[in-house]
Amino acid sequence: MDYDLIIRNGAVATTDGSFEADIGVRGGVIVALARGLAGTAAEEVDAAGMLVLPGGVDTHTHIDQPPEGAVRQCDDFAAATTSAAAGGTTTVVCFAWQLPGTSLAAEVAAYHQRAAAARVDYAFHLTITDPTDTVLRDELPALIAAGNSSIKIFMTYAGSRLSDAQVLEVLEAARSNGALVCVHAEDDALIGHLTRRLIAEGKASPKYFPQSKPILGEAEAIRRIATYAELLDVPVHIFHVSGAEAAAEVERAQRRGVRLSAETCPQYLTFTAADLDRPGFEGAKLMFGPPPRSPQDHEALWRALRRGVLSVISSDHAPMRFDDPQGKKVAGEGAPFDRVPNGVPGIATRMRLIFSEGVSKGRIGIGEFVALTATRPAKLFGLYPRKGAIAIGSDADLVLWDPAHRGILTHAELWDANDYSPYEGMEVTGKPMITWLRGRRVYAGGQPVGGPGGGRFLARGIMRP
Amino acid sequence: MDYDLIIRNGAVATTDGSFEADIGVRGGVIVALARGLAGTAAEEVDAAGMLVLPGGVDTHTHIDQPPEGAVRQCDDFAAATTSAAAGGTTTVVCFAWQLPGTSLAAEVAAYHQRAAAARVDYAFHLTITDPTDTVLRDELPALIAAGNSSIKIFMTYAGSRLSDAQVLEVLEAARSNGALVCVHAEDDALIGHLTRRLIAEGKASPKYFPQSKPILGEAEAIRRIATYAELLDVPVHIFHVSGAEAAAEVERAQRRGVRLSAETCPQYLTFTAADLDRPGFEGAKLMFGPPPRSPQDHEALWRALRRGVLSVISSDHAPMRFDDPQGKKVAGEGAPFDRVPNGVPGIATRMRLIFSEGVSKGRIGIGEFVALTATRPAKLFGLYPRKGAIAIGSDADLVLWDPAHRGILTHAELWDANDYSPYEGMEVTGKPMITWLRGRRVYAGGQPVGGPGGGRFLARGIMRP
Amino acid sequence: MDYDLIIRNGAVATTDGSFEADIGVRGGVIVALARGLAGTAAEEVDAAGMLVLPGGVDTHTHIDQPPEGAVRQCDDFAAATTSAAAGGTTTVVCFAWQLPGTSLAAEVAAYHQRAAAARVDYAFHLTITDPTDTVLRDELPALIAAGNSSIKIFMTYAGSRLSDAQVLEVLEAARSNGALVCVHAEDDALIGHLTRRLIAEGKASPKYFPQSKPILGEAEAIRRIATYAELLDVPVHIFHVSGAEAAAEVERAQRRGVRLSAETCPQYLTFTAADLDRPGFEGAKLMFGPPPRSPQDHEALWRALRRGVLSVISSDHAPMRFDDPQGKKVAGEGAPFDRVPNGVPGIATRMRLIFSEGVSKGRIGIGEFVALTATRPAKLFGLYPRKGAIAIGSDADLVLWDPAHRGILTHAELWDANDYSPYEGMEVTGKPMITWLRGRRVYAGGQPVGGPGGGRFLARGIMRP
Amino acid sequence: MDYDLIIRNGAVATTDGSFEADIGVRGGVIVALARGLAGTAAEEVDAAGMLVLPGGVDTHTHIDQPPEGAVRQCDDFAAATTSAAAGGTTTVVCFAWQLPGTSLAAEVAAYHQRAAAARVDYAFHLTITDPTDTVLRDELPALIAAGNSSIKIFMTYAGSRLSDAQVLEVLEAARSNGALVCVHAEDDALIGHLTRRLIAEGKASPKYFPQSKPILGEAEAIRRIATYAELLDVPVHIFHVSGAEAAAEVERAQRRGVRLSAETCPQYLTFTAADLDRPGFEGAKLMFGPPPRSPQDHEALWRALRRGVLSVISSDHAPMRFDDPQGKKVAGEGAPFDRVPNGVPGIATRMRLIFSEGVSKGRIGIGEFVALTATRPAKLFGLYPRKGAIAIGSDADLVLWDPAHRGILTHAELWDANDYSPYEGMEVTGKPMITWLRGRRVYAGGQPVGGPGGGRFLARGIMRP
C-alpha cells in the first residue's frame, strides 16, 4: 500500500477555487496531490462530481461548559464534535471558561479531561470572567505558552462581563503574552436600560428581545474595543457581527490600521428580528445575542464578507434545549425575555448554510467559502497550515461534499444533544457525505463512524506582539 | 430724559455682522436702535470707532463650588463675576453641584444664596454625581421646572463620574422633564489605565498628563453618549471638544440626525500638549481635562466652528490657585500628575482670546464671534432672546469693545481670585472698555463699578421633548 | 413727519428669530427699530400678529433672457419682478446671458436696458457660454469691476455648457478678478448617453426624464468642480442641489476646507420623480434639471439646510409657457423628453413654499427661514447689509407676512406671464400681505402697486481672492 | 521517465503561504505535488532553502507598440519577454493598440504576428483610441470572443484619450460583449490647465511634472469612471493608483458595491515626487503618469494592498530610452516636461521590488505576494487557473526564487532594450534563479535559455455580464 487513503477525481477546493486532482494521504497527512495518482491505498474513494473540501474550522463554539446557575449547555464533547463531524467540521475551538472566583488554570485542566471524548480536533479559547492578579500574572502566561493563545472576554452579560478597566488589563496581558483577544462587543448598560424599560412596559415576550440589543449599541461597543486595541496596539477579534452598522464600525477601524478582525455567523445571514415573532414561546428558539437584524443587514454582511472586512464565519454553537428546565425554559415557559438564556446550536449546520446561501446562490465563490469556513479561521487562530487547507503536509482533514444535493434540514441528522434546530425545515443545497479526520473517517453515510474520542488538542503558537 | 443710556455711533454687532446705529436703553432693556437717535439719556456714550457687542454668555463656568476633599476652587461669585464683567461677559451659567450622598435640591438652594454676590446674571446647570431615585424622581422635576433646565454629568473623574447605567437613567429623566444634558465625555477606564501605566513607568510630571487622556478616548466617549442620545432621543451637549477626532465624531452624529451640540474653549485653540513641558512644576498651570492637543487640532477646531459643528465657545473657568495647598499643589509641589487637580481660570480672557485669535486673525468674522460667544450659547440654553443679542426687548447687556487695542494679557487685569493666568504674557488684539449689565455699568476704565451683587438668577424654560 | 413709513407692533424677523418692535423708515432706509417708536409717518401700518420679514433675495432667476432657438422664456422684467413682489421677494439676481459667438459686454448693456422695467431691485450674474479670449481678458474684468461679481457656467446643456478646459479657464479668470462662480453641475456625457438609450428604448415621455439625469451624475459633477475649486483655490457655488448624494458631495468638499457653497430650490423639497408620471403631456410641467428625486431626498435636503451644508434657497425661476410653441411644446405635444425645454416658474412661490413646508411644519425656525431666503444669499453675493436684513441702515425692503394664513396656491395670484404653475392647488400656510421696496409699496392687497419700473441695479463688490 | 521536470524540497508558494513539497511536471503542466515524490524526471532540481513561486503575471505592459509620432517604445516582444523571464514573470498582458483612424482588428492581427518572438505567454488588452461604430459594432465582438476580453481606455493624453461620451460608449460595448475595461484615470482638462500654467511660469523642468498631475485630479477621474461603472453596471479596473486619495476613492466605490478593481505598480511604492528633482535632465528618467507621490502615499498604498482595496501589482512597463531622439529626448535634452514622453521600464524588476519592499520588510506575507503578483491578476483577467497558481492542472510556469539573496539592481541584468533602469543601484532582497515556462527553462543562471519565441497567445473567456 502506498497510501492510507486516496480520494480520486474530486474537485479539490482551496481559497483560490478548485482544481481536479487525486489526494494521497499517509500517516494522517496529505502527502500527494496529483493527476492520476499512481499507487494504491487501504481506502480509495471516487469523488467524481464531488467537491473535496478542507475540513471546516469552527472557531467559536460552546462545548461542555460548566453550568451557569441552573442553565446547562446540553452538548458534551462527544455530542458537539459528532455534530461537527456530521456537518463537515473537523476542528473546533471552544471555551475553557473561568467562572468568577475560580482558577482559569484549573478550568483548562478540567477541560482537557472532558475533551478526551472529542471526535474532532480541538483547541481552547481562555474565557476570562474574573481577571484577578492571580489569573493574569500567575496563570495566563503559562496557559498561553501551552498553546492556548486566544482569550475571550465579554462586554455584556452579568456574570461574564468585564468592566472597561478589566478589559484594558486583559488586553495589556494579552499583548505581553502574545494572545489574540476575542470580544463579545455589546454595550451592557444600554442593554440593561432598554431591557428594564421594555419589561416595565409589558414587552416581555421573545419578539421584543431584539429591541433590547440594538445594533447601535453593538457598533458603539465595537468602536470602544477598537479604540482600546488601537491605543494599546493589540490584535482584537470581534465575535458575531450582526449587521451593517457593526460591520461599518469594524471597517472604520481597519481603515485606520487597527489590528481588528471580525466574524459573523450563519444565524445573522438567515434570520431577522421579525422571525422571533412566533406563536407562544417558540420565539425563544431564536434568542441569541446579538440578535438577528434585517434582510438589508444580511446583504451588508455578505458584502463585508466578500470585501474581507469580515474574515471568518463561525457557528457560535451554544446548545441549550428548548423544552427543558436547564435550557430555554429555565424560568418557565413564557418567562420574560431577560430570563431566557441566549444561544442556539449550529455546529452541524454552519457549512451547509453558508454553502447554500453563499455558493449556491452566487453570493460567494467556492474559494471564498473555503477561506471563510476553514482557511482564514485557521490562520487567524494559529492553526494553519496544519488545519484549514488541502495542501502537502497539512492534516488530512477532508470532506467529501456533494454540491448538488438538495435537502431539508432536520434536527435528526445533526447529532447534537439538543431537542430542536433553529433551521428545522430549511431547504439547503450541498451536503457533506464523508468526513475524514487526519485520514480517518469520522462520519459517513449519515452516521458517525466509531465511538467518541480520537480528537486531539491543538497547541497553538503565540501571536506576534 | 428719554432713555437711561444711549450709546451712539458704535458698530452694533449681531450674528450677521455689524451696522452703525445708536442704542437706546430704558429700564434695563434695549428699546431703540436708530440712526441719529432722538432724545437724551442719563448716560450717553460716544462709541465712534468702537464695536458694541452683546454681553458675553459663558455657559460653562465653575463658581464657588463646594470643595472636593482638600481642593477648593478659589473664585466665589463676587470674584468670578467681577472677572466675567472685566472680560465682557454678562451672563454665566455655573454648576449647582451635587456631591455624592447629598441632596441636589439643597445644593441648588445653597447655591442661590452664594450667588447673591454675583455681579452679572447667572443660571445653574444641575451637576448630578449621585443619581439616586430621590434625586431623579423627587428633586429633579421641580428643579428643572424652576428654571434649571440643563444637567451636567461626567463620564470620567472619580467622585463625579456616573456609570453608563446611571448616564442612561439621567438621560431618561432629562427627556421626561425637558432638560438638556451636558457631558464631560472622556473614557474613564482608559484614562485610569494609561495613568497607572505612565506613573508606573515614572512618567509622572505634568508633561505626561496629555498622554493619559488621548483624544481617541475622548472621541470614543462622544460616540458612546451620542449613541445613547440617538437611541433615547434626547438632546445632548458635549463640553470642551479638544481636537480633530473628537469634532469629527460630533459631526458624524449630527450627520445622522442626532440632536448633539458641542462647544470648545479658548484653551484648546491656543495651547498644545507640548506647552505642558515647562520647567519644574510650571506645567501644572496648564493641566486641564481634556488636555490641549496640537496646532493641527487648533485648525480643525476653527474649521468645525466655522462650519457649525461646534456652536459654542465657553471658558470652562475652573479657578484653582497654583501656589496653594488647596489648589494645584494640594499634593505638594512635584506631585505626580494624577494628584494635581485639573482646571484653569478663563472667564475674563475668553472673549479677548477668541476675538484676537479668531476675528483679528481672519479665521472668523464678527458675526461668527457674536454667535459663538453670546447668541448661540444663549439660544442653546434657553436664555435667548433675553440674553445674547442686541435687539429690541433684549436685556441691555452691552460691551464697548475696542477692536484695535493691542495689549499683553496679565493676571492683574483679570480680577479673579487666582494667583496666575495661563495666558500671562500673551499678546492680544481687542479689549472690552465698558461693560453694562441691564443698562448699568459693571466694569469700566479697568475697574469694577460698585460693589458685588446685582446679578440676577435667570430661570430658563424647559427643552422641547 | 418723522418717518416715511412706520410699521408698528410686528414681530421683526432676523436670522436669530424674531422680536417685537416698531420699524421706522426714512429715505428708503431703515433708520429706527424701537419699542413704542415716537414720531409719525406718512404711512403707518399696524403689524400686530404679523411677521415683518426682510424682503426675499432670490439669487437664481431667469428673466427676459435672449431666446434660444425657438424657445422663449415668457417673463420679461415687468412680469417676473411683479411676480417676485407678489411673493415677498424684493431683490433678484438674474442672468446676463451670453449666447455663443456674442459679446458678454453687449449683452450686459442690453440687459441693463431691459431691466428698466423691473419693479424690484436686481443684479446680474454673468452667464458665460463662450469663454473666448475677448470675453475673459477684455470684457470680464470691467464687467466684474462694474458690480457683476458672479459668473454662471454650465457643465451640461448643449449650447450652454463649457468643456472642462473652459471651466478651468473661467475659474482662473474669476479668481483673478474676484468673482464667485455659480455652477450647474451635472455630468453632460452621462446625460447624453442615458438620454439616447432611453429614447432608443422608446422611453420618451416626460416620466422617463428623471432617469436621464441620475443624482449620481450630479454628485460626480459636483465632485469634479469641487476638485477644480480646491486646486485653483477659488470660491464656487453649486446651484440647485437636488438630493442626498449631491448634498453629501458638497459636504465632503466643505469638510476638506474647499470654499464651496450650495443652494437648493423649493421644487426639490416638494416634488418627486414620480410626480412626472402624469397623464398625457402634463408631466412636462414638472420638467426641470436636475429633476426632483424622492421623499428621502427631501428630508436629506432639509437636514443639509439645517446643518448649513446648503445655505441658500433660490427659485431657479425659468418661466416657459406650457401650451405654447415657444414653450414646453416647442417640439409639439408629446415630443420626446429631450426636445422639451427644462424649467419651471417659481419666483412668486419660493417664500410661501419654504415658509409652509419649513417653518409651519417645524422643519426650520423663523431665523433659518430668514437666513435661507434673504440674509445668506445677500451675503454670499455681496448684497449685504444693503439687502437681506432688517437692520439700521439696510434698505427698507420689507414684507408684512401673515404666518397664520392658510390658502391654496393658484396661478392667478402669481402675476407672472406663464400659463400654469407647477404648484397649482397646493395648500400652504403663510402669505405676504404687503411688500415694500425701499420703503415704497410695490405689492399690497393682492395687487401690484403702481406701474412697472422703479427697481434699481445693485452693483456688488468683488470677492476676496 | 515519470515526469519532464521535478523540483524537489522547495517551499511551494500559494496565496495562503507556502508548504514544502516536490513538484512534478508533465506535458508542460503541474501534475503532482507531493512529499517525497516517487519517480524520475528529465530535469530534477533541488530547491531546498528556496521558494518555488508561480510565474509572475504582469497585466499591464507596453510591448512593441506602434510608434506615436517620433516616439518609439524600445522593447519588441523578444526584448520585453526576455526581460520578463529574467524577472520571474511568465505571463504578460500587453496592449494591441489602435491608433486613431485605424482598424483595431488589423492591429490585433499585426500584434499576433509581432508576438511570435515572445519568450513567455501573452494576452492582449484592446486599446481603443478611436471608438468608431466600425470598431465598436463590427470589430469588437469578434475580438472579444476571440479571447481578448479586456479593453484599455485613456481619460487623458492627447491622441489616446476618449471623451466622456466615448468612454460611456465603450463601457456599454464592453458590457454587451463581456469585457473588463481598464482605465487610465486622470482628469485631462486639469492636467492641461496646470501644465500650461506651469510652463508659462517657467516651471518646465522634470521636477515640476508631478505638480501638473495632482492626485486630486486622479481621484476625481476615478470617481467619474466609478460613477459610470455603477450606472451602467459594468466591471472596471483602475490602472496605476498612485496614492492615498486615489485609493480612498476606489474603496469608496467598492463600499457602495460598484464592481471596481484596481492595481498599483512598484514605482508608486518606491519613488516620490521629490525624486524627480535631479540634476540636469536626469529627472526625466522618473517621468511616468500618474507621477509618484510621497512616503505617506507609499504606506497608504501598502495598507490598501493588504486590505484588498488594490488587488494587483503590475509593472506598467513602458520602455523608452533616455538618451535617444526616439525616447525621452524626442524634443531634445532639457525640453519642457510636456514634451517628454511618459513611462519607465519595469517588467524585470516588478517581482524583485515587491518581494524586497513587501515581503522582506514585513509589509506583506508570501501569500499576499503571490496573490498580488500572480494569482489575482490571473483571476481578474480570465487566465486562472491556467496561470497564476501552483496547482494540479495549472501550467508549469514556475520560478525558483532565492529569498535570501541580497543584491544591487543594475540595468545589465534586466535584459530589456532600454539604456537605463530607474531602479539602478537600489538594494533588494530576493532573486529569481530559474524561470520555467510550461516546464521548460526560459531563464537560468543569469541568462535567457534558448532563442526568442515559444510563448503562446492566451485566449481568455468573456466576463460575466
Side-chain angles (χ1 to χ4, degrees), chain D residues 70-136:
Chain D
V71 179
R72 179 181 292 275
Q73 296 199 353
C74 56
D75 281 359
D76 60 11
F77 272 89
T81 59
T82 302
S83 189
T89 288
T90 51
T91 299
V92 296
V93 189
C94 49
F95 298 102
W97 190 290
Q98 177 205 26
L99 291 180
T102 70
S103 155
L104 180 59
E107 174 56 30
V108 171
Y111 216 49
H112 271 293
Q113 290 201 312
R114 295 204 291 279
R119 197 181 282 274
V120 303
D121 289 352
Y122 51 89
F124 303 151
H125 300 300
L126 302 169
T127 301
I128 299 178
T129 64
D130 191 5
T132 58
D133 268 16
T134 304
V135 165
L136 295 189

Side-chain angles (χ1 to χ4, degrees), chain A residues 215-232:
Chain A
I215 196 164
L216 288 179
E218 183 184 345
E220 185 268 294
I222 292 172
R223 165 65 190 259
R224 199 185 323 163
I225 195 76
T227 300
Y228 296 172
E230 182 171 1
L231 284 163
L232 269 59

Side-chain angles (χ1 to χ4, degrees), chain D residues 43-56:
Chain D
E43 178 184 3
E44 297 210 15
V45 174
D46 182 7
M50 295 283 170
L51 279 169
V52 185
L53 299 174

Side-chain angles (χ1 to χ4, degrees), chain D residues 299-346:
Chain D
E299 293 315 313
L301 290 174
W302 282 114
R303 208 153 48 228
L305 288 163
R306 278 193 297 271
R307 294 183 50 237
V309 172
L310 308 179
S311 52
V312 170
I313 298 178
S314 77
S315 70
D316 191 7
H317 182 69
M320 269 158 296
R321 295 172 65 89
F322 175 65
D323 192 13
D324 194 321
Q326 292 187 314
K328 293 287 189 185
K329 296 188 180 171
V330 68
E333 170 122 18
F337 68 74
D338 63 334
R339 308 284 310 278
V340 181
N342 289 354
V344 287

Side-chain angles (χ1 to χ4, degrees), chain C residues 164-165 168 172 187 189-190 193 197 214 216 219-220 223-224 227-228 230-232 245 249 252 256, chain D residues 164-165 168 172 187 189-190 193 197 214 216 219-220 223-224 227-228 230-232 245 249 252 256:
Chain C
D164 289 349
L168 286 156
E172 198 82 73
D187 186 298
L190 186 63
H193 185 83
R197 203 167 76 175
L216 287 178
E220 184 268 294
R223 165 64 189 259
R224 198 184 323 161
T227 300
Y228 295 173
E230 181 170 2
L231 284 163
L232 269 59
E245 275 151 320
E249 203 65 50
R252 203 169 158 230
R256 292 178 64 88
Chain D
D164 288 349
L168 286 156
E172 198 82 73
D187 185 299
L190 186 63
H193 186 83
R197 202 168 76 175
L216 288 179
E220 185 267 295
R223 165 65 190 259
R224 199 183 325 163
T227 300
Y228 296 173
E230 182 171 1
L231 284 164
L232 269 59
E245 275 151 321
E249 203 65 49
R252 203 169 157 231
R256 291 178 66 87

Side-chain angles (χ1 to χ4, degrees), chain C residues 106-335:
Chain C
E107 174 57 29
V108 171
Y111 216 49
H112 271 293
Q113 290 202 312
R114 296 203 290 279
R119 195 181 284 275
V120 303
D121 289 352
Y122 53 89
F124 304 150
H125 299 302
L126 303 169
T127 300
I128 298 179
T129 63
D130 191 4
T132 59
D133 269 15
T134 304
V135 165
L136 295 189
R137 246 144 257 153
D138 300 344
E139 298 187 349
L140 195 61
L143 291 170
I144 291 171
N148 307 292
S149 54
S150 52
I151 293 170
K152 164 72 180 293
I153 57 174
F154 287 87
M155 294 174 76
T156 189
Y157 289 127
S160 303
R161 80 174 278 262
L162 304 188
S163 69
D164 289 349
Q166 290 173 319
V167 167
L168 286 156
E169 280 179 56
V170 170
L171 290 176
E172 198 82 73
R175 187 177 199 281
S176 306
N177 292 291
L180 176 65
V181 181
C182 304
V183 181
H184 181 129
E186 287 190 285
D187 186 298
D188 183 69
L190 186 63
I191 293 167
H193 185 83
L194 296 175
T195 298
R196 280 187 296 276
R197 203 167 76 175
L198 286 161
I199 301 285
E201 292 168 350
K203 298 174 174 170
S205 65
K207 75 172 173 178
Y208 293 106
F209 168 70
Q211 294 181 33
S212 73
K213 290 163 103 61
I215 196 165
L216 287 178
E218 183 184 345
E220 184 268 294
I222 292 172
R223 165 64 189 259
R224 198 184 323 161
I225 196 76
T227 300
Y228 295 173
E230 181 170 2
L231 284 163
L232 269 59
D233 190 23
V234 57
V236 163
H237 182 65
I238 305 295
F239 270 169
H240 43 51
V241 169
S242 73
E245 275 151 320
E249 203 65 50
V250 168
E251 186 180 359
R252 203 169 158 230
Q254 291 171 339
R255 238 184 353 254
R256 292 178 64 88
V258 182
R259 289 193 278 157
L260 196 75
S261 56
E263 62 161 36
T264 190
C265 312
Q267 49 270 43
Y268 301 106
L269 298 163
T270 45
F271 297 122
T272 69
D275 289 327
L276 275 81
D277 189 6
R278 295 180 173 183
F281 200 52
E282 284 291 303
K285 288 183 178 173
L286 290 184
M287 280 184 57
F288 46 86
R293 309 293 182 183
S294 74
Q296 291 72 37
D297 287 292
H298 295 176
E299 292 314 314
L301 291 174
W302 281 114
R303 207 154 47 227
L305 289 163
R306 280 193 296 271
R307 295 183 50 237
V309 171
L310 307 179
S311 51
V312 169
I313 297 177
S314 78
S315 69
D316 191 8
H317 182 69
M320 267 158 298
R321 295 171 67 88
F322 176 64
D323 192 13
D324 194 319
Q326 291 186 315
K328 293 286 188 186
K329 296 188 180 170
V330 67
E333 171 119 19

Side-chain angles (χ1 to χ4, degrees), chain A residues 172 193 223 228 249 252, chain B residues 172 187 193 223 249 252:
Chain A
E172 198 83 75
H193 186 83
R223 165 65 190 259
Y228 296 172
E249 203 64 49
R252 202 169 159 230
Chain B
E172 198 82 73
D187 185 298
H193 186 83
R223 166 64 190 260
E249 203 65 50
R252 204 169 156 230

